[in-house]
Amino acid sequence: MHPIYLDHAATTPVRPEVRDAMLPYLGERFGNPSSSHRWGREARQALESARDRVAHVLGAARTEIYFTACGTESDNLAVLGALRAAPEPRPVVCSAIEHKAVLMAAKQASREGAEVVLLGVDGEGRVDPAALEEALATRPCVVSVMWGNNEVGTLQPVSALAERCRAAGVPFHSDAVQAFGKVRIRMDEVPCDMLALGAHKFGGPKGAGVLFVREGVSLAALQFGGGQEQQLRPGTESVAHAVGFAVAAELAAAEQEAEAARLAGLRDSIERALVDAVPGLVVNGGGADRMPHIAHVSVPAIDQEALVVALDLAGMAVSVASACQSGAAKPSHVLTAMGRIVEGGASIRVSIGRTTTPQDAHQAAAAIPDVIARVRAAL
């Protein structure tokens, strides 16, 4: 069997169109966009063109787009920036299944005197609306709920949550790093105040992120230096990464509807085959609206690390959790919050993408049960 990459939720290959667009700014067009000479002006023009293109894709104003180094930085800036912009420490509210970029920022907020309120989720990973209502009564400085979960794929009712926060006068942030390009995301349709994106999840380069900040939302800078990015994110901008982000975002948005339908079909075929072939296997989040590219399953009576190694040796790349915490000894905080921990078992994430073919899905669906049976037999 040829190697099959089934970890697109961890990262995706850079698209050729993106690489080609970036190359000039890694070579002869090397100017600093803050310089006033022709090299600098050329770089500035490319940077601002990229900003315009990203704004157009998101249905935002160009002044609402801030380039960062990654989704993690964008999440940190949204959460801690909102906290530090408040006149006094006020609670930070986030769901219990957020990416570590949000949860660890919230932990830092607690060190700075803020109360942290975690919103519980049900067995499918959906935020409890009643818990949000209770949290809003504490007058938080920010509420952060991710658009789609990076482990199990569950989608949150972001528009409804954002509307409720707006009515309460509380800034709402969503980590959409995993969701962009898989579901429709436009800021002229959803009242999010802040949105975090990372290019490498949709065919762009690693090291390229964006934070959307709606006009009128106050954030404090976390870095200090020059006046770049409207003084919110100082530091010399990477023009190549901004250009790469813009091209990848345009391609992903243009293909989103058709690609989502294709991926959902492949995901469902893989899940059906696994449920039919593996005794006791369950699909996590399968009862909720989900992003189309993630299948997360739990398998009883098997060693997790042995399973992942065996799948790798068989030519399949999967993940035991999000890539940011793979290898950690602790069980997944997402599954724990959902009440889905399988004692003595394993949970794996199979995530597909633009380069996944029907043949890949078919071969994986046939091979994974065989690997599980071999690992179980070796226990």
Side-chain angles (χ1 to χ4, degrees):
M1 186 176 73
H2 70 278
I4 303 176
Y5 183 70
L6 300 172
D7 203 14
H8 288 260
T11 197
T12 60
V14 175
R15 298 184 62 153
E17 306 96 318
V18 173
R19 180 197 61 220
D20 292 345
M22 292 177 67
L23 281 175
Y25 302 97
L26 296 171
E28 67 273 13
R29 299 180 184 175
F30 59 85
N32 185 324
S34 295
S35 298
S36 58
H37 48 60
R38 70 179 65 181
W39 289 268
R41 292 195 303 272
E42 182 179 54
R44 172 59 59 181
Q45 182 178 19
L47 178 68
E48 296 310 322
S49 174
R51 196 185 313 279
D52 288 339
R53 294 163 72 179
V54 173
H56 180 73
V57 166
L58 289 178
R62 64 183 316 278
T63 54
E64 297 174 322
I65 302 301
Y66 296 83
F67 288 111
T68 67
C70 56
T72 291
E73 183 189 349
S74 295
D75 284 335
N76 279 211
L77 181 53
V79 173
L80 293 174
L83 171 72
R84 296 175 187 176
E88 71 281 329
R90 288 161 53 192
V92 169
V93 176
C94 57
S95 83
I97 62 170
E98 291 301 302
H99 189 280
K100 291 293 186 180
V102 169
L103 292 177
M104 296 308 290
K107 186 173 182 179
Q108 175 60 32
S110 71
R111 297 190 187 101
E112 298 180 19
E115 177 188 1
V116 175
V117 179
L118 295 182
L119 304 177
V121 297
D122 65 15
E124 302 295 346
R126 294 171 293 211
V127 166
D128 179 3
L132 175 62
E133 288 298 325
E134 186 176 341
L136 288 174
T138 68
R139 295 183 61 250
C141 64
V142 66
V143 171
S144 181
V145 178
M146 66 197 324
W147 203 293
N149 185 261
N150 51 301
E151 287 191 33
V152 299
T154 300
L155 288 164
Q156 302 294 345
V158 170
S159 185
L161 297 175
E163 286 278 11
R164 183 64 195 91
C165 288
R166 173 168 289 184
V170 175
F172 180 84
H173 162 256
S174 188
D175 176 340
V177 171
Q178 197 63 243
F180 183 80
K182 313 304 186 302
V183 297
R184 181 177 173 85
I185 295 177
R186 285 186 61 88
M187 295 298 93
D188 53 356
E189 298 173 353
V190 179
C192 278
D193 294 302
M194 293 170 282
L195 187 85
L197 301 175
H200 77 105
K201 303 294 188 179
F202 50 87
K206 298 174 185 64
V210 154
L211 179 64
F212 161 84
V213 182
R214 195 173 295 279
E215 290 288 345
V217 173
S218 296
L219 292 182
L222 306 187
Q223 300 166 215
F224 305 94
Q228 296 91 343
E229 298 304 296
Q230 302 177 69
Q231 302 185 48
L232 183 60
R233 201 274 184 179
T236 302
E237 303 97 336
S238 172
V239 177
H241 284 82
V243 169
F245 190 110
V247 174
E250 288 175 335
L251 291 169
E255 299 166 359
Q256 181 268 312
E257 186 174 3
E259 183 65 356
R262 187 185 78 88
L263 292 177
L266 295 180
R267 178 203 62 197
D268 291 348
S269 69
I270 293 172
E271 289 181 347
R272 284 193 298 268
L274 295 183
V275 169
D276 290 344
V278 181
L281 180 143
V282 296
V283 177
N284 296 310
D289 288 336
R290 291 182 293 163
M291 293 182 290
H293 66 304
I294 292 177
H296 194 282
V297 300
S298 292
V299 185
I302 197 168
D303 180 78
Q304 182 157 282
E305 291 305 319
L307 176 58
V308 173
V309 170
L311 289 168
D312 184 30
L313 291 174
M316 289 172 284
V318 303
S319 174
V320 297
S322 70
C324 298
Q325 65 180 47
S326 292
K330 293 182 179 180
S332 161
H333 70 284
V334 174
L335 295 184
T336 299
M338 293 169 61
R340 292 273 189 160
I341 293 296
V342 178
E343 295 295 337
S347 296
I348 60 172
R349 180 184 68 185
V350 174
S351 52
I352 55 180
R354 191 182 63 86
T355 59
T356 306
T357 66
Q359 181 185 14
D360 291 335
H362 177 75
Q363 290 189 354
I368 291 174
D370 289 343
V371 173
I372 291 173
R374 290 201 307 271
V375 173
R376 276 177 165 171
L379 291 176

